[in-house]
Amino acid sequence: RQGDKWGLCTKDKKIVIPCKYEMTWNFSEGLALVMLNGKWGYIDKTGKEVTPCIYDNAYKVSGGLARVVSNGKIGFIDKTGKLVAPCEYDYACDFSYDLVKVVLNGKEGVIDKTGKQIVPCNYDWVGSFSEGLAVVSLNGKRGVIDKAGKEIIPCKYDNIYVFSKDLYEVHLNDKRGFIDKTEKIIVPYMYDYVDFRSSEGLTKVRIGDYYTGKWGFIDKTGKEIVPCAYDDAWDFEGGLAKVKLNDKVGFIDKKGKTIVPCRYDDIFDFSGGMAKVESSGKWGFVDETGKEIIPCKYDKSHCRIEEQFSEGLAVVHLNGKRGYIDKTGKEIIPCMYDIAWDFYGGFARVKLNGKVGFIDKTGKRVIPCMYDDGDYNYDFERFEVELNGKRQFFDRTGKPIPYDGYSNYEALSEDLTRVELNGKWGFIDKTGKQIVPCNYDWVTVPWGEFIEVSIKGKNGKNTYGLFDKTGKELIPCYCDEIQYFRGDWAGWVRVKIADKWAGFMDTKTGTQYWEY
């Protein structure tokens, strides 16, 4: 940028396109949008104006074509600047699968990449194409067209869905059925609801209303695989679906065979070959054959629904206390804790008499229950606990990790810990060596790449500086702002000094570029 004008340069700051445009955008398919005198056009990477700046608005090139706007109307140009579709449409999307929906005088149609109207703008609505077909609407009725614009199913149904290439779910007089492309009835109009979402090749259907109707499943041909006999049904997952009958739940397989009978008050998905079940307020577990491996005797199986057993153990609740069982139902750790969490990395957090500690899988307390809060950092292999507002670290054996002299500290990565001394912050490495002195009002690690430091001035305004992760100072603490780049420009930063963007720095090489 020079003044209020923009141009384009290479990564090594060689100016390719002079700063003469009011606005520029990134290149897309070899062309970039530019604005000159309030109008938009396109340039190539040599700076040549492929399309003059004559349009009121324009969009990036997508699929070889770009939307342009002139006098409030939309058209399309190709990459040579040729107007493929005239600026006559009220609305248009970007091209998808070589076709795009357009609106003209309130009616919808479809054009191809040559600008030809494949589907005339005669419809009230045109849906997206899927497998070469799209649903259309006309005068409140719906039908189906193909990509040539041919009406496969006439617009005479209340609603219609493309169930598969040769099968269509149609709604007529508040009933659902299925027809083929010749309009032959494959499944009579008998369903009151069809869940259009398929789960593992099967779709839920219902006969009757939502409250008293019965649920079943059909396949992609419309064949009824599971009769409509259940009070409720859930999607299939892992080959099983939860169903309800007479206010009890169980599981069926994709052939409709009962795997877990509908005799439980609640049941959760299988995880590791086990599913949590509830009966009369008590919890247990069944295996994939439906056998009750762990009887329903626990007050509550207090573990995450999506991961019932964590590292081979599950949290259970008995007489107001928590403990752990294995997959055979054996009580590995007695129900003695007020709260217990899942095992993670061989350890679990537990709470006893309002205080937090950590146990291993034998039940041994590695960290005693005497802290206000705590966490186990699996990546760093250490415990962090808090007592009376002060934090302390322990290793996996429960041995304290000293941070002598510091009033506060926080691990931000395996190698870096933020520390406070006399109200000022710095960094130490994993050996405890101070790599950034405690001279700053705040320090952080943005994007995990650098150490950013800041000092608050007498006017309340912060200034910023930059270190690398070894503690080498890259930029002194005099910047108003530091901007970080990602992707191809990772490692580059831009700095603002005295309220002006002053330049760039390649932190990998130390090379600096100053704006003028």
Side-chain angles (χ1 to χ4, degrees):
R1 184 179 68 181
Q2 189 173 18
D4 61 351
K5 301 296 183 183
W6 290 87
L8 295 170
C9 67
T10 60
K11 284 185 179 181
D12 59 3
K13 293 299 179 179
K14 179 182 178 182
I15 294 176
V16 177
I17 297 164
C19 297
K20 68 175 185 177
Y21 295 104
E22 292 142 34
M23 197 173 292
T24 61
W25 287 99
N26 292 334
F27 280 91
S28 174
E29 299 186 20
L31 297 181
L33 274 164
V34 292
M35 178 190 277
L36 187 63
N37 300 324
K39 297 288 186 179
W40 290 93
Y42 296 85
I43 59 173
D44 63 19
K45 290 188 176 182
T46 69
K48 177 185 176 183
E49 284 191 0
V50 176
T51 303
C53 294
I54 59 175
Y55 293 105
D56 302 327
N57 204 352
Y59 301 83
K60 71 176 184 178
V61 179
S62 175
L65 299 175
R67 275 185 295 164
V68 291
V69 181
S70 181
N71 298 321
K73 298 293 183 179
I74 299 173
F76 287 88
I77 61 171
D78 63 18
K79 291 170 71 171
T80 69
K82 178 184 175 183
L83 199 62
V84 174
C87 293
E88 63 180 8
Y89 296 104
D90 305 314
Y91 173 83
C93 304
D94 284 327
F95 268 89
S96 176
Y97 305 110
D98 298 328
L99 299 174
V100 67
K101 181 167 73 173
V102 292
V103 179
L104 183 62
N105 299 324
K107 295 291 185 179
E108 297 189 2
V110 177
I111 63 173
D112 65 14
K113 285 192 170 183
T114 69
K116 179 183 177 182
Q117 280 194 16
I118 300 299
V119 179
C121 292
N122 296 331
Y123 292 101
D124 301 322
W125 176 77
V126 177
S128 300
F129 278 92
S130 175
E131 297 185 1
L133 301 172
V135 177
V136 292
S137 177
L138 183 63
N139 299 325
K141 297 294 182 179
R142 293 195 171 190
V144 176
I145 58 172
D146 63 17
K147 290 178 76 171
K150 181 182 177 183
E151 209 167 78
I152 304 298
I153 306 293
C155 292
K156 67 178 188 180
Y157 296 97
D158 299 330
N159 210 344
I160 188 167
Y161 296 97
V162 181
F163 194 73
S164 64
K165 191 172 182 180
D166 299 312
L167 192 65
Y168 307 89
E169 178 198 338
V170 290
H171 299 191
L172 196 62
N173 301 324
D174 292 328
K175 291 292 184 181
R176 277 84 163 162
F178 291 83
I179 61 174
D180 65 14
K181 59 186 176 183
T182 68
E183 292 192 84
K184 178 185 176 182
I185 296 175
I186 304 300
V187 178
Y189 298 101
M190 58 185 287
Y191 296 111
D192 293 283
Y193 175 79
V194 175
D195 189 341
F196 189 65
R197 299 173 301 109
S198 175
S199 64
E200 300 186 1
L202 296 179
T203 296
K204 287 189 296 184
V205 291
R206 186 185 74 230
I207 296 177
D209 64 31
Y210 181 81
Y211 298 100
T212 62
K214 297 294 183 180
W215 293 84
F217 289 87
I218 60 173
D219 66 14
K220 290 183 177 180
T221 69
K223 180 183 177 182
E224 192 172 75
I225 303 299
V226 179
C228 290
Y230 293 100
D231 301 327
D232 203 352
W234 286 256
D235 289 341
F236 275 92
E237 186 174 334
L240 299 176
K242 179 179 172 181
V243 290
K244 179 182 281 189
L245 187 61
N246 300 324
D247 211 29
K248 299 291 182 179
V249 292
F251 277 111
I252 60 171
D253 66 15
K254 292 170 74 173
K255 295 180 179 179
K257 179 184 175 182
T258 297
I259 302 299
V260 179
C262 291
R263 65 186 182 197
Y264 294 102
D265 299 320
D266 204 355
I267 190 168
F268 293 104
D269 290 336
F270 279 92
S271 175
M274 308 274 284
K276 187 170 64 172
V277 293
E278 180 193 6
S279 179
S280 301
K282 299 293 183 178
W283 291 85
F285 287 85
V286 297
D287 66 15
E288 289 177 324
T289 69
K291 182 181 178 182
E292 200 170 272
I293 300 297
I294 299 170
C296 294
K297 70 174 186 177
Y298 292 101
D299 299 326
K300 191 174 186 181
S301 182
H302 189 75
C303 51
R304 295 196 303 272
I305 293 171
E306 69 273 12
E307 190 178 342
Q308 297 170 12
F309 278 86
S310 175
E311 300 186 4
L313 298 177
V315 183
V316 289
H317 187 174
L318 187 62
N319 300 323
K321 297 292 183 179
R322 273 86 167 180
Y324 296 84
I325 59 173
D326 66 14
K327 290 187 177 182
T328 69
K330 181 182 177 182
E331 195 172 85
I332 303 300
I333 299 169
C335 292
M336 59 185 293
Y337 293 103
D338 303 325
I339 302 178
W341 285 263
D342 287 341
F343 273 90
Y344 182 57
F347 300 98
R349 181 169 54 163
V350 291
K351 181 175 279 192
L352 184 62
N353 300 323
K355 295 296 183 178
V356 170
F358 290 86
I359 59 174
D360 64 18
K361 293 171 75 173
T362 69
K364 177 186 175 183
R365 287 183 197 161
V366 180
I367 305 295
C369 292
M370 57 178 287
Y371 297 97
D372 300 325
D373 200 3
D375 195 13
Y376 174 63
N377 193 311
Y378 179 77
D379 294 328
F380 308 157
E381 293 193 338
R382 58 188 172 192
F383 301 98
E384 181 178 347
V385 295
E386 184 175 319
L387 182 63
N388 300 325
K390 297 293 185 180
R391 283 196 290 268
Q392 167 123 28
F393 291 129
F394 293 86
D395 65 18
R396 286 175 58 93
T397 68
K399 181 182 177 181
I401 301 173
Y403 288 105
D404 296 334
Y406 296 111
S407 56
N408 206 348
Y409 42 86
E410 182 181 4
L412 298 189
S413 71
E414 184 177 1
D415 301 317
L416 293 174
T417 297
R418 179 163 55 198
V419 290
E420 184 182 14
L421 183 64
N422 300 324
K424 297 293 184 179
W425 290 86
F427 271 98
I428 61 175
D429 63 18
K430 62 183 178 181
T431 69
K433 178 184 175 182
Q434 191 177 85
I435 59 172
V436 175
C438 292
N439 296 335
Y440 301 98
D441 294 311
W442 190 239
V443 293
T444 188
V445 185
W447 301 107
E449 294 179 1
F450 310 102
I451 296 174
E452 183 181 277
V453 297
S454 64
I455 296 175
K456 181 173 285 189
K458 293 180 180 180
N459 59 358
K461 185 177 180 181
N462 287 339
T463 55
Y464 299 89
L466 207 63
F467 289 77
D468 68 15
K469 293 173 75 173
T470 68
K472 178 183 177 182
E473 188 179 55
L474 301 174
I475 300 173
C477 197
Y478 56 55
C479 302
D480 299 328
E481 187 178 341
I482 300 176
Q483 186 180 72
Y484 303 91
F485 293 90
R486 306 292 289 167
D488 293 340
W489 289 81
W492 285 74
V493 296
R494 190 183 187 198
V495 297
K496 181 184 280 189
I497 302 173
D499 292 324
K500 179 182 177 182
W501 288 108
F504 297 81
M505 180 180 184
D506 182 355
T507 61
K508 295 176 182 177
T509 64
T511 307
Q512 299 180 16
Y513 302 91
W514 296 97
E515 298 186 39
Y516 56 90

